[in-house]
Amino acid sequence: MNIQLIPVTYEKKETLRNLVELYMYELSPYLDTIEINEFGLFDYRYLDHYWTEHERHPFFIYVSGKLAGFVLVIEFERLEEGEIKWLISEFFILKKHQKQGIGRLAAQQVFDKFKGKWIVAQIESNVISQLFWEQVISEYTKGKYIKTHLGKQPAHEFESI
C-alpha cells in the first residue's frame, strides 16, 4: 500500500476545505460547539491560517494515488535548545479508507517527518479516536509515551523516534 503525505498548496485550499467539511460533519456528534452556518457549512475558522502562519503544515493523505484524507500539523511549542513540540491539530481518513491501516501509516509518516516531542489529543467523548491513537502511538513508540490531558481532552505525549 503506497501512502503519501503531500503538502497542500494554496491552489488546493478549496479541496482541503471540502474535506474539512466532511471531517467536521463526522465530529459534530462529539462536540456541541460544532454547528453549521447560514450557508449550511461548518466553516473551519483556522483553515486560512495554514497559509499565513509558518507554524502550520497542511497535508493531503494519498493512497495509491487517490486522495484519502488529510492531516493538519502545528508547531505547538518551542522548547529549550530549539526543540519543537508538535501537535496534530486535525486528522481525517475518508470512511472508505478506514480500518485498512492507512491512518496508522500516515500518522507514522507525520511523526517521522516532524522530529521532536509530540502531543496528540482526542475529544473526550470520541472513544473510537482514543482507541485509534492509543494503538498507533503505542506501536510507534514501542509503549514509550505518557497519557496526559490537553485542557479537558485526553492526550498522549511522546517523542518521535
Side-chain angles (χ1 to χ4, degrees), residues 78-105:
R78 287 233 173 225
L79 305 169
E80 295 176 14
E81 302 175 16
E83 192 175 27
I84 297 171
K85 183 180 276 187
W86 300 99
L87 171 75
I88 289 186
S89 175
E90 316 296 345
F91 187 88
F92 176 68
I93 303 293
L94 290 165
K95 281 204 183 286
K96 79 180 266 181
H97 295 291
Q98 291 178 6
K99 301 186 188 304
Q100 299 174 37
I102 294 163
R104 177 179 47 82
L105 293 171

Side-chain angles (χ1 to χ4, degrees), residues 8 10-21 47 60 62 67 70:
V8 180
Y10 183 77
E11 293 75 26
K12 294 288 187 177
K13 180 174 83 167
E14 290 307 310
T15 302
L16 180 58
R17 183 182 311 279
N18 294 337
L19 285 176
V20 170
E21 287 294 317
L47 188 66
F60 286 131
Y62 279 86
L67 186 57
F70 68 86

Side-chain angles (χ1 to χ4, degrees), residues 43-64:
D43 198 26
Y44 182 69
R45 67 181 180 176
Y46 301 107
L47 188 66
D48 289 329
H49 297 247
Y50 283 86
W51 291 274
T52 61
E53 298 174 10
H54 75 278
E55 302 90 5
R56 296 177 183 259
H57 307 276
F59 294 92
F60 286 131
I61 300 168
Y62 279 86
V63 178
S64 302

Side-chain angles (χ1 to χ4, degrees), residues 143-155:
K144 295 180 182 174
Y145 62 91
I146 298 168
K147 285 187 176 183
T148 186
H149 282 80
L150 182 61
K152 294 181 180 180
Q153 297 177 310

Side-chain angles (χ1 to χ4, degrees), residues 99-116:
K99 301 186 188 304
Q100 299 174 37
I102 294 163
R104 177 179 47 82
L105 293 171
Q108 290 171 352
Q109 284 187 28
V110 170
F111 301 148
D112 287 345
K113 185 172 191 60
F114 296 95
K115 295 292 185 192

